[in-house]
Amino acid sequence: MLDNQPFREGHVTVNGVDVRYRVAGPENDRTPLVLVHGTAGSIDGHYGYIFPMMAYRQRVIALDWSEPAGDTLELADLVAQVKAVITAEVPEGPVTLMGYSLGACVAAMTAAEMGGKIANLILAAGWLRTDTHQKMRNDVWRQLRDQDSASVTQYMTFCAFSPAFMNMRTVEDMKAAAGMLKITPFVEKQMDLNTRIDIAAACETIAAKTLVIGCTYDMMVPKHHSKQLFGAIEDARYAEIPSGHAVVHERAAELFHYVDRFTRQPDEFPAGAIIPAQKP
Amino acid sequence: MTTETDILIVGTGFAGLGMAIQLKRSGRENFIAIERAGDVGGTWRDNHYPGIACDVPSHLYSYSYLPNPDWSRVFSPGGEIQAYIRKCAEDEGILPHIHFHTNMLKSTWDEDAKRWIVETSKGTYAAKILITGTGHLADGHMPNIEGLDSFTGDVFHSADWDHSVPLEGKRIGVVGSGASAIQIVPEMQRLASELVVFQRSAPYMIPRWDRAFTEGERRMCRRDPSVVEDMRSEIFWSGEFNFAQRRNIPRFLNEAKALAVGHREANIKDPELLAKLTPDYEIGCKRLLISNTYYPAVAAENATLEASALQRVEGNTAYGASGTGYDLDVLVFATGFEAVRPPFATRIFGTEGISLDERWDQGMQAYDSIAVNGYPNLFIINGPNTGLGHNSVVYIIEAQVDYIMEALAQIDAQNIEVIEVKRAAEDAYMEKLDAMAQGTVWLAGGCKSWYVDERSGRLTLVWPDFAHSFRDENGTFHPEGYDMQPAPVAAE
């Protein structure tokens, strides 16, 4: 008999679009954890591991982004969706808010705007300000996309995983994984938004106890971005996972380890600490 | 004559030796390890059957503080693991602390002297602290088979392999289809004229991603130890990922199952044999096995898979529960170990004079998986709820050794004479573990396994969570769970 975890689905309307979310896990002394996925992601796509495993520990809430009306996606559109879900489920707060990749930028902005309601913040593979290196990659992506080239998903896959992870598999395995990626108009808008991120000023105002997680072999959002977040946010501590950008797949269990420890005891490490890697 | 020591360790496998090394490294000299055999290594010394290897990649299945750049393969053969353990004992200066051929017969707590009195095959020891490192895979399990005495051929257990018995061209029966059996069967298939495998239940099996390391790779590991560290990290966290399967989450369980089904179907073409090799429970409920050679071996022309347990023996004929008889020259019992009721527990008697085995009449339990109320000054390494279905037990052992080292430091600092875990703390810990175990594949997977105690239905052998969380929870000493009595201050 499989352990089918009970969960509840909810939805809120934000600027005229329906935003769906999922709630699971027991209420206990841990602060509810809200999960925000990244570009081209979803609850199952980016939190397929973290969501069910954390729900054995505590209350977990995760949302799927909905495409807002209009030609251009702004960070504020996604922030509004996250705020609406938090307000619907934990109106008084506090919550622990976790974002991955673009979701980390959304989460950081949300924390800046919601103040004390966001007690704790986890930013995995996020960034402060889009830089030349990212713009260059994004530009190649855009050209491949404009050519309607099948290699656009292979390029994304190539950029997402570390060499060590890839080398445990065959080229065919990696191409098959690339084939699962679907580029929708909404994903294109997210990719465009990725070129215009600047949350530097907002990060200076974040009061939440923050865990920043950088990925050693990240080619999409190299770890110097996480170091910048670690510097910009006052009450931040930093951990690093030897993974590519796709840490939610590559090192899901190690990511879980950091999330689990931080949500259990956010002040285990003081502000400014670089958390040593566990050496098995 | 009684040999006095501060600390007595029982066993010198990965657990006992790992404990001894840390004691020695911390500057302690007043400890003795007793070992019933003539060498260190535990299960790796006792198990030398053809084909023996470990199911955890060697770079992880070794002490974190004694990395070995010279492993020959991803999954090195058992003899290499044994040689590694012996080298660790030599290099760390542990051999002079080991009393070989010294079997613990009976340990009793002396309330007046506040000492463990340990009677052995080589005399009596008195120790302030007793630490067991006897392992889960120490004593072979032999099923009680009707008429086995009448068998005219050779019989032995996989953990006590008789290398003097000629096997070439013989009719060989292998009893069991667990982790040892699946390593033995391909070797026997090559030698035997006829091979019969008695399978009580079909195991799940996935491919073994094994290969030899090149000399260049070994040199790289010698030149840059960080390469080994990175490999350990990668193996460990990939193993941790698989806990989601044991946690019984449909998505991850189904992924594992698809891998196992694909492996089975790629290797077994005969539909009848395929049916016999298809388990009737969820993957991971029993130990998940890894092999590339087992399926081809049982599918070979000289092999027969008897899909029932060995039931009785008459002369040279061995009968399965199905009633089918096979004429055999050799019977190999690959029937596992006394893991759920470890024999060491019948030999340790606490403050109430009852054995640990009696105390555990509803199954093993220990606070922080290490201490039992009524058994003061005793620490059990690799005892209740320390097994893993998905990662390296050496990691668990190291966490437990760290725990004990912290406890010993506190005992010294506060001049503690007696340290005994509180019953309430022990029970609360077990209640927590019981709750964590609910819904896991070990309890809900529809199988009978050595992870679960039949008497209570409790999961007593396995730690029902990630390995890393074992270290988080049990890698540091928790004084709040114990009553600690200081030694009386000597009068002037």
Side-chain angles (χ1 to χ4, degrees), chain A residues 89-132:
Chain A
E89 280 299 314
V90 198
E92 304 304 320
V95 300
T96 297
L97 181 61
M98 172 172 182
Y100 163 60
S101 190
L102 176 58
C105 306
V106 175
M109 200 65 198
T110 307
E113 293 182 12
M114 290 187 92
K117 277 196 182 170
I118 313 297
N120 312 301
L121 180 65
I122 303 171
L123 305 177
W127 71 103
L128 189 78
R129 189 185 291 121
T130 308
D131 65 9
T132 302

mmCIF file of all heavy atoms in Angstrom, chain A residues 89-132:
data_model
loop_
_atom_site.group_PDB
_atom_site.id
_atom_site.type_symbol
_atom_site.label_atom_id
_atom_site.label_comp_id
_atom_site.label_asym_id
_atom_site.label_seq_id
_atom_site.Cartn_x
_atom_site.Cartn_y
_atom_site.Cartn_z
ATOM 1 N N GLU A 89 -4.056 31.578 3.361
ATOM 2 C CA GLU A 89 -3.825 30.401 4.192
ATOM 3 C C GLU A 89 -3.298 30.716 5.588
ATOM 4 O O GLU A 89 -3.596 29.998 6.540
ATOM 5 C CB GLU A 89 -2.841 29.459 3.482
ATOM 6 C CG GLU A 89 -3.480 28.604 2.408
ATOM 7 C CD GLU A 89 -4.570 27.676 2.964
ATOM 8 O OE1 GLU A 89 -4.329 27.026 3.996
ATOM 9 O OE2 GLU A 89 -5.646 27.619 2.363
ATOM 10 N N VAL A 90 -2.458 31.727 5.682
ATOM 11 C CA VAL A 90 -1.869 32.067 6.991
ATOM 12 C C VAL A 90 -2.005 33.577 7.174
ATOM 13 O O VAL A 90 -1.005 34.307 7.179
ATOM 14 C CB VAL A 90 -0.372 31.645 7.051
ATOM 15 C CG1 VAL A 90 0.108 31.574 8.502
ATOM 16 C CG2 VAL A 90 -0.121 30.309 6.349
ATOM 17 N N PRO A 91 -3.259 34.055 7.317
ATOM 18 C CA PRO A 91 -3.494 35.501 7.257
ATOM 19 C C PRO A 91 -2.697 36.293 8.296
ATOM 20 O O PRO A 91 -2.246 37.407 8.012
ATOM 21 C CB PRO A 91 -5.004 35.629 7.492
ATOM 22 C CG PRO A 91 -5.491 34.294 7.911
ATOM 23 C CD PRO A 91 -4.502 33.277 7.474
ATOM 24 N N GLU A 92 -2.473 35.690 9.462
ATOM 25 C CA GLU A 92 -1.752 36.434 10.504
ATOM 26 C C GLU A 92 -0.239 36.230 10.424
ATOM 27 O O GLU A 92 0.520 36.855 11.146
ATOM 28 C CB GLU A 92 -2.237 36.006 11.897
ATOM 29 C CG GLU A 92 -3.749 36.162 12.125
ATOM 30 C CD GLU A 92 -4.234 37.588 11.878
ATOM 31 O OE1 GLU A 92 -3.517 38.540 12.262
ATOM 32 O OE2 GLU A 92 -5.311 37.748 11.262
ATOM 33 N N GLY A 93 0.162 35.275 9.576
ATOM 34 C CA GLY A 93 1.587 34.923 9.577
ATOM 35 C C GLY A 93 1.932 34.241 10.880
ATOM 36 O O GLY A 93 1.030 33.938 11.664
ATOM 37 N N PRO A 94 3.167 34.014 11.186
ATOM 38 C CA PRO A 94 4.306 34.143 10.283
ATOM 39 C C PRO A 94 4.495 32.871 9.458
ATOM 40 O O PRO A 94 3.985 31.815 9.807
ATOM 41 C CB PRO A 94 5.487 34.317 11.242
ATOM 42 C CG PRO A 94 5.083 33.519 12.461
ATOM 43 C CD PRO A 94 3.571 33.595 12.542
ATOM 44 N N VAL A 95 5.214 33.013 8.364
ATOM 45 C CA VAL A 95 5.541 31.846 7.537
ATOM 46 C C VAL A 95 7.043 31.827 7.268
ATOM 47 O O VAL A 95 7.745 32.824 7.455
ATOM 48 C CB VAL A 95 4.811 31.863 6.172
ATOM 49 C CG1 VAL A 95 3.302 31.872 6.352
ATOM 50 C CG2 VAL A 95 5.275 33.020 5.305
ATOM 51 N N THR A 96 7.501 30.635 6.826
ATOM 52 C CA THR A 96 8.826 30.505 6.240
ATOM 53 C C THR A 96 8.600 30.446 4.738
ATOM 54 O O THR A 96 7.844 29.600 4.262
ATOM 55 C CB THR A 96 9.532 29.225 6.724
ATOM 56 O OG1 THR A 96 9.718 29.308 8.133
ATOM 57 C CG2 THR A 96 10.878 29.057 6.043
ATOM 58 N N LEU A 97 9.232 31.341 4.006
ATOM 59 C CA LEU A 97 9.011 31.426 2.569
ATOM 60 C C LEU A 97 10.259 30.944 1.847
ATOM 61 O O LEU A 97 11.361 31.404 2.146
ATOM 62 C CB LEU A 97 8.687 32.873 2.195
ATOM 63 C CG LEU A 97 8.397 33.177 0.724
ATOM 64 C CD1 LEU A 97 7.173 32.382 0.234
ATOM 65 C CD2 LEU A 97 8.143 34.677 0.534
ATOM 66 N N MET A 98 10.056 29.982 0.934
ATOM 67 C CA MET A 98 11.198 29.474 0.174
ATOM 68 C C MET A 98 10.979 29.708 -1.311
ATOM 69 O O MET A 98 9.908 29.426 -1.834
ATOM 70 C CB MET A 98 11.374 27.971 0.415
ATOM 71 C CG MET A 98 12.439 27.356 -0.500
ATOM 72 S SD MET A 98 12.826 25.640 -0.091
ATOM 73 C CE MET A 98 14.114 25.318 -1.328
ATOM 74 N N GLY A 99 11.996 30.213 -1.983
ATOM 75 C CA GLY A 99 11.920 30.363 -3.428
ATOM 76 C C GLY A 99 13.142 29.751 -4.085
ATOM 77 O O GLY A 99 14.238 29.762 -3.519
ATOM 78 N N TYR A 100 12.916 29.230 -5.282
ATOM 79 C CA TYR A 100 14.003 28.601 -6.038
ATOM 80 C C TYR A 100 14.146 29.314 -7.378
ATOM 81 O O TYR A 100 13.151 29.530 -8.075
ATOM 82 C CB TYR A 100 13.684 27.113 -6.235
ATOM 83 C CG TYR A 100 14.502 26.451 -7.322
ATOM 84 C CD1 TYR A 100 15.892 26.400 -7.242
ATOM 85 C CD2 TYR A 100 13.884 25.874 -8.436
ATOM 86 C CE1 TYR A 100 16.641 25.808 -8.242
ATOM 87 C CE2 TYR A 100 14.624 25.271 -9.433
ATOM 88 C CZ TYR A 100 16.008 25.241 -9.334
ATOM 89 O OH TYR A 100 16.752 24.655 -10.327
ATOM 90 N N SER A 101 15.375 29.692 -7.728
ATOM 91 C CA SER A 101 15.657 30.327 -9.011
ATOM 92 C C SER A 101 14.866 31.639 -9.129
ATOM 93 O O SER A 101 14.922 32.446 -8.204
ATOM 94 C CB SER A 101 15.350 29.329 -10.138
ATOM 95 O OG SER A 101 15.810 29.816 -11.365
ATOM 96 N N LEU A 102 14.129 31.842 -10.189
ATOM 97 C CA LEU A 102 13.329 33.075 -10.267
ATOM 98 C C LEU A 102 12.392 33.177 -9.064
ATOM 99 O O LEU A 102 12.095 34.273 -8.582
ATOM 100 C CB LEU A 102 12.532 33.105 -11.584
ATOM 101 C CG LEU A 102 11.562 34.283 -11.779
ATOM 102 C CD1 LEU A 102 12.282 35.633 -11.700
ATOM 103 C CD2 LEU A 102 10.810 34.164 -13.115
ATOM 104 N N GLY A 103 11.954 32.003 -8.576
ATOM 105 C CA GLY A 103 11.094 31.987 -7.380
ATOM 106 C C GLY A 103 11.792 32.582 -6.167
ATOM 107 O O GLY A 103 11.143 33.132 -5.265
ATOM 108 N N ALA A 104 13.122 32.481 -6.124
ATOM 109 C CA ALA A 104 13.869 33.085 -5.011
ATOM 110 C C ALA A 104 13.800 34.604 -5.098
ATOM 111 O O ALA A 104 13.682 35.296 -4.071
ATOM 112 C CB ALA A 104 15.317 32.611 -5.020
ATOM 113 N N CYS A 105 13.876 35.135 -6.322
ATOM 114 C CA CYS A 105 13.744 36.595 -6.498
ATOM 115 C C CYS A 105 12.349 37.033 -6.066
ATOM 116 O O CYS A 105 12.178 38.072 -5.404
ATOM 117 C CB CYS A 105 14.011 36.978 -7.957
ATOM 118 S SG CYS A 105 15.594 36.378 -8.572
ATOM 119 N N VAL A 106 11.343 36.244 -6.450
ATOM 120 C CA VAL A 106 9.962 36.546 -6.063
ATOM 121 C C VAL A 106 9.827 36.506 -4.540
ATOM 122 O O VAL A 106 9.234 37.406 -3.921
ATOM 123 C CB VAL A 106 8.986 35.529 -6.717
ATOM 124 C CG1 VAL A 106 7.557 35.751 -6.221
ATOM 125 C CG2 VAL A 106 9.058 35.611 -8.239
ATOM 126 N N ALA A 107 10.412 35.464 -3.937
ATOM 127 C CA ALA A 107 10.295 35.296 -2.480
ATOM 128 C C ALA A 107 10.988 36.445 -1.746
ATOM 129 O O ALA A 107 10.467 36.969 -0.753
ATOM 130 C CB ALA A 107 10.886 33.950 -2.069
ATOM 131 N N ALA A 108 12.164 36.835 -2.222
ATOM 132 C CA ALA A 108 12.898 37.923 -1.561
ATOM 133 C C ALA A 108 12.088 39.217 -1.620
ATOM 134 O O ALA A 108 11.959 39.937 -0.628
ATOM 135 C CB ALA A 108 14.263 38.103 -2.223
ATOM 136 N N MET A 109 11.526 39.491 -2.790
ATOM 137 C CA MET A 109 10.707 40.707 -2.965
ATOM 138 C C MET A 109 9.482 40.644 -2.051
ATOM 139 O O MET A 109 9.109 41.650 -1.422
ATOM 140 C CB MET A 109 10.294 40.794 -4.435
ATOM 141 C CG MET A 109 9.869 42.155 -4.870
ATOM 142 S SD MET A 109 11.277 43.324 -4.777
ATOM 143 C CE MET A 109 10.353 44.846 -4.794
ATOM 144 N N THR A 110 8.863 39.463 -1.970
ATOM 145 C CA THR A 110 7.692 39.280 -1.108
ATOM 146 C C THR A 110 8.065 39.547 0.347
ATOM 147 O O THR A 110 7.330 40.209 1.086
ATOM 148 C CB THR A 110 7.134 37.844 -1.257
ATOM 149 O OG1 THR A 110 6.915 37.578 -2.644
ATOM 150 C CG2 THR A 110 5.832 37.678 -0.491
ATOM 151 N N ALA A 111 9.234 39.029 0.750
ATOM 152 C CA ALA A 111 9.677 39.220 2.143
ATOM 153 C C ALA A 111 9.908 40.697 2.436
ATOM 154 O O ALA A 111 9.583 41.188 3.528
ATOM 155 C CB ALA A 111 10.949 38.414 2.396
ATOM 156 N N ALA A 112 10.463 41.395 1.454
ATOM 157 C CA ALA A 112 10.699 42.835 1.655
ATOM 158 C C ALA A 112 9.383 43.573 1.841
ATOM 159 O O ALA A 112 9.270 44.488 2.654
ATOM 160 C CB ALA A 112 11.478 43.393 0.465
ATOM 161 N N GLU A 113 8.376 43.138 1.088
ATOM 162 C CA GLU A 113 7.098 43.859 1.131
ATOM 163 C C GLU A 113 6.205 43.438 2.297
ATOM 164 O O GLU A 113 5.421 44.233 2.791
ATOM 165 C CB GLU A 113 6.350 43.667 -0.195
ATOM 166 C CG GLU A 113 7.083 44.359 -1.353
ATOM 167 C CD GLU A 113 6.356 44.226 -2.687
ATOM 168 O OE1 GLU A 113 5.178 43.805 -2.688
ATOM 169 O OE2 GLU A 113 6.979 44.539 -3.725
ATOM 170 N N MET A 114 6.296 42.169 2.715
ATOM 171 C CA MET A 114 5.381 41.699 3.767
ATOM 172 C C MET A 114 5.961 41.837 5.170
ATOM 173 O O MET A 114 5.263 41.591 6.159
ATOM 174 C CB MET A 114 4.968 40.249 3.515
ATOM 175 C CG MET A 114 4.046 40.086 2.317
ATOM 176 S SD MET A 114 3.390 38.399 2.150
ATOM 177 C CE MET A 114 1.857 38.514 3.063
ATOM 178 N N GLY A 115 7.207 42.180 5.270
ATOM 179 C CA GLY A 115 7.812 42.452 6.577
ATOM 180 C C GLY A 115 7.712 41.267 7.526
ATOM 181 O O GLY A 115 8.053 40.146 7.186
ATOM 182 N N GLY A 116 7.189 41.528 8.728
ATOM 183 C CA GLY A 116 7.191 40.548 9.813
ATOM 184 C C GLY A 116 6.412 39.272 9.539
ATOM 185 O O GLY A 116 6.595 38.274 10.239
ATOM 186 N N LYS A 117 5.516 39.306 8.558
ATOM 187 C CA LYS A 117 4.769 38.073 8.266
ATOM 188 C C LYS A 117 5.679 36.985 7.720
ATOM 189 O O LYS A 117 5.367 35.804 7.791
ATOM 190 C CB LYS A 117 3.642 38.358 7.270
ATOM 191 C CG LYS A 117 2.409 38.893 7.960
ATOM 192 C CD LYS A 117 1.191 38.820 7.069
ATOM 193 C CE LYS A 117 0.014 39.429 7.819
ATOM 194 N NZ LYS A 117 -1.145 39.607 6.959
ATOM 195 N N ILE A 118 6.774 37.405 7.118
ATOM 196 C CA ILE A 118 7.746 36.423 6.638
ATOM 197 C C ILE A 118 8.843 36.332 7.691
ATOM 198 O O ILE A 118 9.797 37.115 7.688
ATOM 199 C CB ILE A 118 8.337 36.834 5.265
ATOM 200 C CG1 ILE A 118 7.244 37.278 4.288
ATOM 201 C CG2 ILE A 118 9.183 35.703 4.692
ATOM 202 C CD1 ILE A 118 6.232 36.210 3.915
ATOM 203 N N ALA A 119 8.706 35.337 8.578
ATOM 204 C CA ALA A 119 9.672 35.230 9.675
ATOM 205 C C ALA A 119 11.004 34.696 9.164
ATOM 206 O O ALA A 119 12.066 35.126 9.592
ATOM 207 C CB ALA A 119 9.117 34.317 10.762
ATOM 208 N N ASN A 120 10.903 33.734 8.270
ATOM 209 C CA ASN A 120 12.111 33.086 7.751
ATOM 210 C C ASN A 120 12.031 32.997 6.233
ATOM 211 O O ASN A 120 10.953 32.849 5.668
ATOM 212 C CB ASN A 120 12.258 31.677 8.315
ATOM 213 C CG ASN A 120 12.078 31.639 9.817
ATOM 214 O OD1 ASN A 120 12.808 32.295 10.553
ATOM 215 N ND2 ASN A 120 11.074 30.908 10.268
ATOM 216 N N LEU A 121 13.221 33.055 5.623
ATOM 217 C CA LEU A 121 13.273 33.097 4.168
ATOM 218 C C LEU A 121 14.373 32.151 3.685
ATOM 219 O O LEU A 121 15.473 32.150 4.249
ATOM 220 C CB LEU A 121 13.580 34.548 3.760
ATOM 221 C CG LEU A 121 13.692 34.903 2.277
ATOM 222 C CD1 LEU A 121 12.340 34.715 1.584
ATOM 223 C CD2 LEU A 121 14.145 36.377 2.142
ATOM 224 N N ILE A 122 14.063 31.355 2.665
ATOM 225 C CA ILE A 122 15.075 30.470 2.077
ATOM 226 C C ILE A 122 15.181 30.807 0.591
ATOM 227 O O ILE A 122 14.179 30.742 -0.126
ATOM 228 C CB ILE A 122 14.689 28.981 2.247
ATOM 229 C CG1 ILE A 122 14.488 28.639 3.728
ATOM 230 C CG2 ILE A 122 15.763 28.072 1.623
ATOM 231 C CD1 ILE A 122 13.889 27.259 3.974
ATOM 232 N N LEU A 123 16.371 31.169 0.155
ATOM 233 C CA LEU A 123 16.570 31.558 -1.241
ATOM 234 C C LEU A 123 17.569 30.587 -1.868
ATOM 235 O O LEU A 123 18.761 30.630 -1.570
ATOM 236 C CB LEU A 123 17.107 32.990 -1.316
ATOM 237 C CG LEU A 123 16.265 34.055 -0.593
ATOM 238 C CD1 LEU A 123 16.954 35.421 -0.681
ATOM 239 C CD2 LEU A 123 14.853 34.127 -1.178
ATOM 240 N N ALA A 124 17.059 29.703 -2.732
ATOM 241 C CA ALA A 124 17.931 28.712 -3.361
ATOM 242 C C ALA A 124 18.193 29.119 -4.806
ATOM 243 O O ALA A 124 17.262 29.304 -5.592
ATOM 244 C CB ALA A 124 17.272 27.326 -3.314
ATOM 245 N N ALA A 125 19.463 29.274 -5.150
ATOM 246 C CA ALA A 125 19.884 29.594 -6.513
ATOM 247 C C ALA A 125 19.161 30.822 -7.066
ATOM 248 O O ALA A 125 18.705 30.849 -8.205
ATOM 249 C CB ALA A 125 19.692 28.391 -7.444
ATOM 250 N N GLY A 126 19.055 31.836 -6.224
ATOM 251 C CA GLY A 126 18.416 33.076 -6.658
ATOM 252 C C GLY A 126 19.456 34.136 -6.988
ATOM 253 O O GLY A 126 20.664 33.878 -6.946
ATOM 254 N N TRP A 127 18.987 35.315 -7.349
ATOM 255 C CA TRP A 127 19.941 36.382 -7.665
ATOM 256 C C TRP A 127 19.401 37.761 -7.343
ATOM 257 O O TRP A 127 18.211 37.952 -7.110
ATOM 258 C CB TRP A 127 20.445 36.277 -9.092
ATOM 259 C CG TRP A 127 19.492 36.607 -10.216
ATOM 260 C CD1 TRP A 127 19.475 37.761 -10.940
ATOM 261 C CD2 TRP A 127 18.469 35.772 -10.779
ATOM 262 N NE1 TRP A 127 18.509 37.701 -11.920
ATOM 263 C CE2 TRP A 127 17.874 36.491 -11.852
ATOM 264 C CE3 TRP A 127 17.983 34.496 -10.493
ATOM 265 C CZ2 TRP A 127 16.817 35.965 -12.618
ATOM 266 C CZ3 TRP A 127 16.938 33.967 -11.256
ATOM 267 C CH2 TRP A 127 16.375 34.704 -12.308
ATOM 268 N N LEU A 128 20.334 38.704 -7.306
ATOM 269 C CA LEU A 128 20.042 40.066 -6.854
ATOM 270 C C LEU A 128 19.762 40.973 -8.044
ATOM 271 O O LEU A 128 18.855 41.786 -8.044
ATOM 272 C CB LEU A 128 21.272 40.578 -6.091
ATOM 273 C CG LEU A 128 21.189 41.863 -5.346
ATOM 274 C CD1 LEU A 128 20.448 41.641 -4.032
ATOM 275 C CD2 LEU A 128 22.594 42.403 -5.043
ATOM 276 N N ARG A 129 20.614 40.830 -9.061
ATOM 277 C CA ARG A 129 20.514 41.720 -10.218
ATOM 278 C C ARG A 129 21.047 40.932 -11.416
ATOM 279 O O ARG A 129 22.137 40.353 -11.332
ATOM 280 C CB ARG A 129 21.375 42.961 -9.981
ATOM 281 C CG ARG A 129 21.208 44.051 -11.000
ATOM 282 C CD ARG A 129 22.182 45.215 -10.762
ATOM 283 N NE ARG A 129 21.880 45.988 -9.565
ATOM 284 C CZ ARG A 129 22.708 46.165 -8.531
ATOM 285 N NH1 ARG A 129 23.908 45.600 -8.535
ATOM 286 N NH2 ARG A 129 22.372 46.895 -7.490
ATOM 287 N N THR A 130 20.295 40.898 -12.497
ATOM 288 C CA THR A 130 20.734 40.150 -13.674
ATOM 289 C C THR A 130 22.034 40.743 -14.202
ATOM 290 O O THR A 130 22.142 41.965 -14.371
ATOM 291 C CB THR A 130 19.651 40.210 -14.770
ATOM 292 O OG1 THR A 130 18.405 39.812 -14.202
ATOM 293 C CG2 THR A 130 19.993 39.294 -15.934
ATOM 294 N N ASP A 131 23.015 39.885 -14.456
ATOM 295 C CA ASP A 131 24.310 40.417 -14.898
ATOM 296 C C ASP A 131 24.629 39.995 -16.344
ATOM 297 O O ASP A 131 23.839 39.287 -16.988
ATOM 298 C CB ASP A 131 25.434 40.040 -13.920
ATOM 299 C CG ASP A 131 25.706 38.550 -13.854
ATOM 300 O OD1 ASP A 131 25.139 37.790 -14.684
ATOM 301 O OD2 ASP A 131 26.477 38.133 -12.980
ATOM 302 N N THR A 132 25.748 40.452 -16.827
ATOM 303 C CA THR A 132 26.107 40.233 -18.236
ATOM 304 C C THR A 132 26.139 38.741 -18.585
ATOM 305 O O THR A 132 25.646 38.311 -19.635
ATOM 306 C CB THR A 132 27.487 40.859 -18.523
ATOM 307 O OG1 THR A 132 27.413 42.246 -18.193
ATOM 308 C CG2 THR A 132 27.882 40.706 -19.984
#
